[in-house]
Amino acid sequence: CTTKTDSRRRELMPPISDAMSSKGSVVLAYSGGLDTSCILRWLKKQDNDVIAYLVSIGQKEDFEETRKKALKLWVKKAFTEDVSRRVEIAQREGTKYVSHGTTGKGINQVQCELNCYWLAPQIKATDSWRMPEFYNLLKVRNDLMEYAKQLWIPILVTPKNLWSMDKNLMHISYEAAILENPKNQAPPVLYMKTQEAAKAPNTPDILEIEFKKGVPVKVTNVKDGITRQTSLELFMYLNEVAGKHGMGRIDIVENCFIGMKSRVIYQIPAGTIFNHTHLDIRAFTMDREVCKIKQNLGLKFAELVHTSFWHRPRCEFVHHCFAKSQERVKGKMQLSVFKGQVYILRWESPLSLFNQELMSMNVKVTAK
């Protein structure tokens, strides 16, 4: 005896693609969201043993709850690892495949797969969105929602918030859904990492950031004496402080790697502070011509990292140039964070190239 629901379920379980053997083992980069949850169940329905891999890259998230969700969807195993540890799950588990949930319309698929092949060329990276059996069935996000409903996959996405979200230590980004029409203003609910500047505190936070070789090594809140020193701790603390003051909101149309233009909402609170302060401490301590060369190389370095050439010799070369340029970038910056803005208050460095006597209008310069 079959029901209409049973018939619909069979339609949702197409044959396996030739790109992946049935009854194989695959590691899926799993976030717990709509896309990867549907992909997980789809891979499982193709008789694959799925190993869910959840990685913490600094985002505030209930990883244990996401891991339990993966187990309820009948994965073979579910791993949660911290960003500071090297990713070796696929090799350790002896799988031949890794999978991810990128849609194929941006750079993410390139980033996932090129890095995978560089680190472990014997493991094949697969993308369900490029398998005809998958994308002919689940063409748009509404199809994914229906798929999740039919297979009882718990999701937080609704027809009113079908946008896609990526979240990590550096930022939160949103695209798709209402944002696909540039005439639409971004809904306030998207800004979960940053406070609206008008509603931010009416008194600033005064921070002191210390740099060594261009790297922030210590942050101190002058008002309450709170200090953070490890890279992760100070970044998370500045995300908190800058976020409450409305720092780092960006609404842009960007050029996608594969040729399209996409509207994206970014929130980068701590990164915005570091960008402002590093530019200033660099100008204070770095030779002018070295600064010019470093600035030009920065554009190339950003392109290499964005297109997943991090492990290539050309990127390594530029990285070494950067390290050399930062040898003198040492000192302290005091700044005010207030209503969405950063105000530099003072500079201090034992390697400063600023000559107060030479620049003073109260000191006569005699030509020789």
Side-chain angles (χ1 to χ4, degrees):
C1 178
T2 61
T3 65
K4 184 176 181 180
T5 302
D6 293 329
S7 176
R8 175 58 179 155
R9 279 203 201 100
R10 283 197 296 273
E11 293 175 13
L12 295 168
M13 303 170 194
I16 184 73
S17 169
D18 292 337
M20 186 183 299
S21 301
S22 62
K23 298 185 179 178
S25 184
V26 55
V27 173
L28 172 65
Y30 182 67
S31 68
L34 175 63
D35 290 10
T36 54
S37 292
C38 288
I39 289 171
L40 188 159
R41 291 292 284 123
W42 188 83
L43 289 171
K44 185 66 180 175
K45 288 299 180 181
Q46 313 313 307
D47 293 327
N48 290 284
D49 287 329
V50 182
I51 299 171
Y53 176 62
L54 298 77
V55 60
S56 169
I57 43 181
Q59 69 270 38
K60 293 182 178 180
E61 198 169 308
D62 192 337
F63 287 96
E64 181 58 25
E65 190 62 31
T66 305
R67 192 183 74 87
K68 290 178 179 178
K69 177 178 178 179
L71 292 173
K72 289 178 181 178
L73 296 177
W74 304 316
V75 296
K76 180 181 180 181
K77 296 179 181 178
F79 291 96
T80 301
E81 287 196 330
D82 189 82
V83 67
S84 61
R85 300 185 178 92
R86 184 179 294 272
V87 178
E88 298 175 338
I89 294 297
Q91 297 185 75
R92 194 169 76 199
E93 292 296 312
T95 64
K96 295 181 180 179
Y97 301 97
V98 296
S99 182
H100 55 85
T102 63
T103 63
K105 289 194 174 183
I107 187 64
N108 305 82
Q109 57 181 327
V110 179
Q111 294 169 335
C112 289
E113 297 182 22
L114 282 186
N115 281 300
C116 176
Y117 288 138
W118 181 262
L119 295 170
Q122 77 280 8
I123 296 175
K124 182 174 178 59
T126 65
D127 182 0
S128 299
W129 293 104
R130 295 206 301 268
M131 295 180 182
E133 296 87 351
F134 184 88
Y135 69 71
N136 284 332
L137 175 72
L138 304 171
K139 297 181 178 66
V140 295
R141 289 179 72 79
N142 282 326
D143 293 338
L144 289 172
M145 291 185 63
E146 175 64 18
Y147 188 85
K149 179 180 178 181
Q150 293 291 335
L151 297 179
W152 298 290
I153 301 172
I155 56 172
L156 296 177
V157 175
T158 69
K160 292 184 178 180
N161 65 345
L162 273 176
W163 47 73
S164 174
M165 178 184 73
D166 288 321
K167 180 169 61 173
N168 55 43
L169 175 65
M170 175 66 76
H171 80 295
I172 294 180
S173 64
Y174 295 90
E175 55 186 336
I178 191 174
L179 302 176
E180 292 176 353
N181 185 345
K183 296 180 180 179
N184 292 331
Q185 184 175 346
V189 69
L190 296 184
Y191 294 103
M192 57 188 298
K193 202 178 183 75
T194 56
Q195 173 74 278
E196 183 181 347
K199 298 179 180 178
N202 291 320
T203 55
D205 273 283
I206 308 300
L207 304 175
E208 184 176 87
I209 300 179
E210 181 177 350
F211 287 85
K212 289 183 180 178
K213 294 186 176 181
V215 178
V217 295
K218 184 179 180 181
V219 59
T220 302
N221 192 314
V222 176
K223 291 200 304 182
D224 54 25
I226 292 177
T227 298
R228 298 289 185 269
Q229 297 190 53
T230 68
S231 298
L232 181 60
E233 288 181 350
L234 65 85
F235 207 100
M236 294 181 72
Y237 178 68
L238 286 181
N239 268 335
E240 177 186 334
V241 174
K244 76 178 181 180
H245 283 284
M247 289 287 306
R249 289 189 175 192
I250 305 172
D251 187 343
I252 63 171
V253 174
E254 62 183 19
N255 295 307
C256 295
F257 177 71
I258 60 175
M260 301 180 293
K261 291 185 182 290
S262 174
R263 183 194 181 186
V264 188
I265 304 293
Y266 288 102
Q267 295 166 80
I268 318 173
T272 302
I273 286 183
F274 284 136
N275 182 53
H276 280 281
T277 52
H278 186 270
L279 284 173
D280 276 70
I281 194 67
R282 187 179 74 187
F284 196 55
T285 58
M286 188 185 291
D287 173 79
R288 181 184 67 180
E289 297 306 315
V290 173
C291 194
K292 287 181 182 179
I293 296 173
K294 190 268 178 190
Q295 186 173 358
N296 290 331
L297 283 176
L299 297 175
K300 184 61 179 178
F301 185 70
E303 178 188 338
L304 291 171
V305 173
H306 186 62
T307 52
S308 291
F309 283 87
W310 176 262
H311 300 287
R312 303 309 194 270
R314 71 197 84 165
C315 195
E316 184 179 0
F317 170 75
V318 177
H319 195 266
H320 281 304
C321 293
F322 278 176
K324 181 65 178 177
S325 75
Q326 299 299 300
E327 288 180 353
R328 293 185 55 86
V329 183
K330 177 180 180 179
K332 296 178 182 179
M333 303 282 297
Q334 192 173 100
L335 57 139
S336 169
V337 185
F338 184 61
K339 299 288 185 182
Q341 298 294 325
V342 172
Y343 303 95
I344 304 299
L345 303 179
R346 66 182 185 89
W347 299 259
E348 177 185 343
S349 173
L351 301 178
S352 168
L353 296 179
F354 184 91
N355 188 316
Q356 183 176 351
E357 182 178 351
L358 184 64
M359 292 303 300
S360 175
M361 293 186 178
N362 292 318
V363 176
K364 183 178 180 180
V365 179
T366 303
K368 295 183 179 180

